[in-house]
Amino acid sequence: MNVRFSTEPLHQVQCDALTVGVGPDLDGAILELDAGFDGKLIAELRQRRFSGGPGSLFSIPTLGRLAARTLIVVGTGDGGAAALRTAAGRAGREARSSHAQTVVLALGHDAAQGLDLVEAAAAGSYLFQPYKPETERSPEVSTWLLPGAGSDEAACKASATRVRWQGWGRDLVNLPAADLYPESLAAKARELAAIPGVEVEVMDIEACRRAGYVGIVAVGQGSDRPGCLIHVSYRPQGAQRHVALVGKGVTFDAGGLSLKPSSAMQTMRCDMGGSATMLAATGAIAELGLPVAIDCVVGAVENMVSGASYKLGDILRYSNGVTVEIHNTDAEGRLVLADCLIHASKIEGVDTIVDAATLTGACVVAVGSDFTGLFTGDDGLATELLDAAAAVGDGLWRLPLHKPYNEALKSDFAQIKNVGGRDAGATTAALFLEHFVADEVPRWAHLDIAGAAFLDKPNHRYAAGGTGQMIRALTTWAQRLS
Ligand code: BES
Ligand code: MN
Ligand code: ZN
């Protein structure tokens, strides 16, 4: 995929789809195109009561009246950043379904917004189709054209890179668990080793056992697919900052002996969403050559039911000394992340750890699928992450990391138990994780992407399935660190 600017008049640009943004008063670039339709285009929009609200849509084949094959009119509402992103996403989705490969994005935005909107449009055009019959597939958009003189080539290329890694992360989430399991996730991670400065190391289950990674061992032991710990490191020259990105890689979460009901299990291939987010962000950061050292640590396991499954009442003794009594085998993500946080804490020079996980249903209840829950005790880090997410339109909302709720994790038989009860479930999960971040690590934040990672049905911005939210946000955050 590539991104270019074009100064040609809109009615003359050779393309498959010309997308034009229109506000509620039906003016702007549409006026200039109306001539090609003898004034009938705006009349038609009026006739249809086209609202111009964000994401409203009117699409027609031009049949030669413009150089473009298809005209896609999208509503841009109040013209604010959020409305424009919605319009871009809608335009992208429509362009894809009309089999457009070269797409012009003329949303009436200013020059600075152009590349961000291309990224939103590309995200809207994403579809996961490898398991669809050939006849039902549509080609990916190959070229996005922005009107105007625009940015330099390097900025365009960077946008394409961010889009590509977001799509890579979404593909991983969408892959069925039969095809994406711990070892194949590790194989996917190894793709990153092609990027200069990147090395990939995989600790198999025996190595995890030797290292005392009891969470990965216990959660994974009910599965015929052995788990592993994946460690991707990126070492650029001149890095002043050193970040660890930790991801939950539960390739399928049946719940274990605390078995999920069938309806809740349907989409649990998404439970490696944290690992997809962090591996994709690492890939993007490394390919962009950003001068920030990264260690991406992923715990990859399947949470299954068998005679070998870990059990309620089991007590895990973690390598940092914390003991955990199992009260629910479906609260497995935190057990796996605990090992990853211990592993990341031991890496020399790490100044910030961020983890991402599809961790709690409680977070979905709290903020839904348009937001990731952010937990950190560090106000500076919170501001950095919130600002970066806002810059790319990823919803991120800070929730309390409220220490007194540690009370809920108290155990009669071990130091803590792995569930805290119904109240503030996303917070108690975050507090659990905090026990495994070493005191020497200056900054830590936890991202609960349980709602944001995956959609059961399409929404105003994304197709059903993996969304790749927070991938571009984390890339932007790293860019700003450097
Ligand atoms: N993977 C789930 C959380 C989840 C729920 C992700 C919905 C995406 C959508 C996690 O492992 C889980 O099962 N959490 C339990 C924890 C509970 C047993 C304390 C939950 O949230 O119900
Ligand atoms: Mn679970
Ligand atoms: Zn889970």
Side-chain angles (χ1 to χ4, degrees):
M1 179 207 115
N2 59 79
V3 185
R4 284 191 283 115
F5 284 82
S6 164
T7 50
E8 251 182 304
L10 291 180
H11 66 277
Q12 284 175 6
V13 190
Q14 295 282 342
C15 59
D16 297 306
L18 168 59
T19 65
V20 180
V22 180
D25 38 13
L26 306 188
D27 60 5
I30 192 86
L31 296 175
E32 150 196 345
L33 297 175
D34 204 24
F37 295 92
D38 311 318
K40 290 186 179 135
L41 176 59
I42 292 186
E44 183 65 25
L45 290 171
R46 290 232 160 80
Q47 182 79 32
R48 286 171 182 254
R49 307 280 187 274
F50 184 79
S51 72
S56 55
L57 183 97
F58 173 70
S59 170
I60 47 166
T62 65
L63 305 177
R65 287 185 173 259
L66 306 171
R69 220 187 75 225
T70 309
L71 174 67
I72 299 172
V73 180
V74 278
T76 52
D78 62 5
L84 284 173
R85 278 197 200 96
T86 302
R90 189 73 186 84
R93 173 151 43 114
E94 182 65 18
R96 176 80 185 250
S97 61
S98 61
H99 288 232
Q101 283 183 270
T102 302
V103 180
V104 177
L105 209 58
L107 298 181
H109 52 275
D110 61 45
Q113 292 172 310
L115 292 176
D116 175 48
L117 293 178
V118 165
E119 293 174 29
S125 75
Y126 171 93
L127 290 173
F128 181 73
Q129 297 183 320
Y131 299 84
K132 286 274 190 190
E134 196 79 60
T135 49
E136 288 178 30
R137 293 186 202 167
S138 51
E140 280 177 33
V141 174
S142 58
T143 303
W144 296 93
L145 283 169
L146 283 162
S151 314
D152 55 30
E153 210 174 306
C156 292
K157 257 190 85 181
S159 260
T161 299
R162 295 151 62 93
V163 165
R164 194 155 28 74
W165 282 104
Q166 184 172 1
W168 185 88
R170 294 172 80 175
D171 285 348
L172 290 194
V173 172
N174 287 326
L175 279 166
D179 294 331
L180 193 93
Y181 42 89
E183 282 170 330
S184 61
L185 179 60
K188 279 285 175 190
R190 285 189 210 277
E191 288 179 11
L192 273 68
I195 307 167
V198 175
E199 279 178 28
V200 180
E201 204 183 308
V202 179
M203 288 172 68
D204 66 14
I205 196 64
E206 285 315 318
C208 288
R209 208 186 305 280
R210 283 194 299 275
Y213 290 158
V214 293
I216 290 174
V217 170
V219 174
Q221 73 194 28
S223 169
D224 292 337
R225 304 276 197 193
C228 58
L229 183 142
I230 304 164
H231 183 169
V232 180
S233 67
Y234 165 58
R235 292 287 180 276
Q237 280 178 358
Q240 304 284 325
R241 303 298 301 271
H242 191 157
V243 171
L245 300 176
V246 169
K248 170 178 174 182
V250 175
T251 56
F252 190 72
D253 181 12
L257 293 178
S258 312
L259 191 65
K260 285 183 186 293
S262 193
S263 57
M265 209 189 289
Q266 182 62 44
T267 59
M268 278 303 137
R269 66 179 182 283
C270 79
D271 215 19
M272 35 56 69
S275 68
T277 304
M278 292 323 206
L279 288 168
T282 302
I285 291 164
E287 194 173 321
L288 292 170
L290 302 180
V292 180
I294 305 281
D295 282 281
C296 180
V297 180
V298 165
V301 291
E302 271 189 344
N303 188 23
M304 299 291 283
V305 191
S306 83
S309 294
Y310 78 127
K311 303 174 186 74
L312 301 159
D314 282 358
I315 295 178
L316 307 185
R317 189 183 296 278
Y318 278 86
S319 60
N320 70 341
V322 177
T323 55
V324 177
E325 184 191 2
I326 304 305
H327 276 240
N328 190 321
T329 61
D330 198 12
E332 84 298 339
R334 63 196 75 184
L335 300 172
V336 171
L337 281 173
D339 286 329
C340 298
L341 290 168
I342 292 172
H343 190 86
S345 292
K346 288 193 290 207
I347 299 168
E348 182 76 28
V350 167
D351 62 66
T352 307
I353 298 179
V354 180
D355 74 72
T358 47
L359 204 61
T360 67
C363 190
V364 188
V365 173
V367 295
S369 54
D370 285 349
F371 292 91
T372 290
L374 165 64
F375 298 86
T376 180
D378 190 304
D379 293 346
L381 179 56
T383 305
E384 288 175 17
L385 290 166
L386 289 166
D387 287 351
V392 301
D394 282 340
L396 181 63
W397 204 270
R398 192 173 182 185
L399 296 171
L401 186 69
H402 187 56
K403 309 265 158 141
Y405 291 171
N406 270 309
E407 186 68 25
L409 293 174
K410 280 194 173 156
S411 159
D412 289 330
F413 300 101
Q415 185 177 339
I416 50 174
K417 52 183 183 173
N418 75 328
V419 290
R422 225 173 76 89
D423 290 358
T427 288
T428 52
L431 288 168
F432 179 95
L433 297 180
E434 197 175 29
H435 286 82
F436 303 92
V437 180
D439 293 339
E440 298 73 48
V441 176
R443 311 198 297 171
W444 164 68
H446 159 59
L447 303 173
D448 194 332
I449 59 169
F454 189 94
L455 299 178
D456 294 343
K457 37 183 196 334
N459 74 4
H460 62 291
R461 287 188 64 187
Y462 298 101
T467 68
Q469 290 183 85
M470 291 309 292
I471 295 172
R472 285 186 296 126
L474 288 163
T475 309
T476 297
W477 172 64
Q479 198 151 10
R480 292 176 175 188
L481 277 184
S482 59

